[in-house]
Amino acid sequence: MGDRFIEVWARSVASVGGAAVGFALTANNYATADAATDPSGAPAQTQWPPTVIDKPPNHGPVTDLKWADIDQSQDMFQLALEAVEAGVLAIIRPLLEDAYRMGKAKYRSTSRIRKPTFT
């Protein structure tokens, strides 16, 4: 799916360039025709067509993205960050689980206390 999208994108880039050249040539033709009918004899003011991409560029294949997948595109810095993340989670997860249990126990012990009513 991704390769097809990139291929269509590359073709559209080339086609937009072709349209730009066509518009410039058409404008030059109109300017030349207008100058030919001008009684003052002023020369036509034309411009060069824009420089564009003639053929679709080759972008190559799209990288297959997967969760927790190590590709050739990953460098050592990314791998080190993933290792740090795993280490931090290994330390913090038990602490968070204990804190959650304590909060749950505190809620259970205080939920049975009667709240004062003011009349």
Side-chain angles (χ1 to χ4, degrees), residues 11-93:
R11 286 184 183 178
S12 69
V13 167
S15 67
V16 167
V21 170
F23 288 142
L25 293 177
T26 302
N28 286 341
N29 291 339
Y30 276 106
T32 304
D34 191 36
T37 60
D38 189 8
S40 67
Q45 294 182 354
T46 60
Q47 297 181 359
W48 289 98
T51 304
V52 295
I53 298 173
D54 295 344
K55 59 182 180 175
N58 183 12
H59 292 290
V62 176
T63 303
D64 186 22
L65 299 177
K66 295 179 184 176
W67 288 103
D69 187 27
I70 299 174
D71 299 353
Q72 303 98 345
S73 62
Q74 289 181 326
D75 60 357
M76 291 302 291
F77 185 68
Q78 288 176 324
L79 296 174
L81 285 178
E82 288 178 4
V84 167
E85 177 188 6
V88 168
L89 281 177
I91 294 170
I92 290 183
R93 176 175 246 149

